[in-house]
Amino acid sequence: MSKSNIVSISNYSPKRVVLNSEIENLVNSEKRIMPDGILEEKFGIIERRFAEDDEQASDLAVKAALKILTENHRNTIDCIIFASGSSDMIEPATSSIVQSKLKLSCPAFDIKNACNSFVNAIQIANALIISNTYKKVLITCGEKLSAIIKLQYEDNFELMKRFASLSMGDAGAAVIMEKSDDESGINTQQFQTNGEYWHLCTVPGGGSLHPHDGSKVYFEGRTSEMKKIFFQKKGDLIDSTLINAGWKKDDIDLVFMHHVSTQIFVEVANDLQIPHEKFYSVFEHYGNMAAASIPFALSDAVKKGHLIKGKKIMLLGLASGISISVQLIIW
């Protein structure tokens, strides 16, 4: 059975480094409602990156893509997917803007499924490649989450409603996928959606529900409730995916997981009985990058020599919706 593979990967990080102290000072600028050091204590984050005001989601995606877009790739890329929770605007699709900035000429479309956008794009690109619809697909991601973080609050109740957003950071990522000519590639992948919980994590504004309400353009979420559902649902999905692949947990060399705190890594590792050192994280210095989190960490692992050809990896995604994904890949 034919498979597709990630043949190139890159990430992009904006230049502006934002320390916890800057976030805490902004939140406390009018009245003190948040203790010093609480962000590192609760999330395990030290710093994150914010894009400039004139740097858009498409720019973050383009800057990542340019790192891997060789002249040969320019002539052979036959599909572009932009896969992010963020977008430049409601219309047109951000992929059109990315295509224009990259000066490419091929079909382009968006995939939007919150923090699972990128892993869903891998699923779709894999299907398009093995069906011979396209030969070489460029997936790009640009997350400008700083645009949905509110930094002034009326009271502690509002702070708690939006607290998880204070671990967010901006980033770009890109991969090129094509048909695999060996055992490497996408082995098995499964997704599930529990839509009855969609209301637990939202950015309500901008759609038909709240088209013109400026107060609705910021993140709000009950992430502790999402976490409980994730822990209830993930085990069966992971087990069935491993069975379908013919893998055991001991076969997994590295786990790349979207997460909102470093503590989640520890809890998931303990729950799955997979050693902590197999979970690869860049969260401490980059924070929650939404859909860019997994490809950004993958690229970082490749750069640092931790992820090499032949390694067996698991991508584990959790997104608002609620959407859960498991992908098993031979690198």
Side-chain angles (χ1 to χ4, degrees), residues 180-193:
S180 175
D181 56 6
D182 56 29
E183 67 170 6
S184 63
I186 315 300
N187 187 305
T188 308
Q189 46 192 350
Q190 291 196 108
F191 293 78
Q192 70 179 46
T193 301

Side-chain angles (χ1 to χ4, degrees), residues 41-60:
E41 177 188 333
K42 295 295 185 183
F43 297 116
I45 187 174
I46 295 174
E47 59 191 12
R48 77 286 287 146
R49 306 298 193 273
F50 279 1
E52 300 300 329
D53 290 343
D54 61 353
E55 195 173 24
Q56 306 309 322
S58 61
D59 294 315
L60 301 176

Side-chain angles (χ1 to χ4, degrees), residues 252-276:
I252 299 170
D253 295 306
L254 289 170
V255 179
F256 296 86
M257 185 180 83
H258 171 67
H259 54 300
V260 298
S261 74
T262 54
Q263 183 59 30
I264 293 290
F265 258 39
V266 176
E267 293 179 23
V268 171
N270 290 341
D271 188 62
L272 295 178
Q273 297 183 322
I274 295 175
H276 298 176

